[in-house]
Amino acid sequence: MIRPLNYGNSSVGRALVSKTRCREFESLFPCQSNTNMKLFKDIKESYDELVYKVSWPTQKQLINSSVLVLIASIIIAVFIWVVDKVFNLLMELIYSISF
């Protein structure tokens, strides 16, 4: 059976065409975009989020966290220094043995 050419046509796969010229509905891709206003809106939203939504630590929490990081860094540095000295001594021992 031969089907007519207009059988099963749909809007899927067709290009978006606005015959209303952006006057009667908000299209997916508006004809004119105001990027300056969008930039100011984004900056205002970022500021509002930083001021009202982010939970900033208190000074005591900040000091405690900083001291903890400092102590952990010193412990790791000392550990790496000890391992380096042990390997250095082992290498000197290995190179000092003559065959």
Side-chain angles (χ1 to χ4, degrees), residues 73-92:
S73 299
I74 291 172
I75 291 172
I76 292 171
V78 169
F79 174 75
I80 291 173
W81 179 77
V82 168
V83 169
D84 183 53
K85 287 296 178 185
V86 169
F87 279 123
N88 189 21
L89 289 172
L90 284 174
M91 289 293 116
E92 287 179 1

Side-chain angles (χ1 to χ4, degrees), residues 21-86:
R21 299 186 188 180
C22 294
R23 285 180 273 172
E24 296 176 350
F25 67 94
E26 183 179 340
S27 69
L28 184 60
F29 302 106
C31 296
Q32 297 174 353
S33 64
N34 195 345
T35 57
N36 290 337
M37 295 307 286
K38 185 175 181 334
L39 176 66
F40 290 128
K41 180 183 174 190
D42 289 343
I43 291 172
K44 183 186 180 312
E45 288 176 357
S46 298
Y47 174 79
D48 288 343
E49 184 172 347
L50 283 172
V51 171
Y52 301 113
K53 294 182 181 179
V54 174
S55 60
W56 296 99
T58 63
Q59 184 176 5
K60 184 177 180 180
Q61 292 172 334
L62 188 63
I63 291 172
N64 287 340
S65 298
S66 300
V67 169
L68 181 66
V69 168
L70 180 66
I71 291 171
S73 299
I74 291 172
I75 291 172
I76 292 171
V78 169
F79 174 75
I80 291 173
W81 179 77
V82 168
V83 169
D84 183 53
K85 287 296 178 185
V86 169

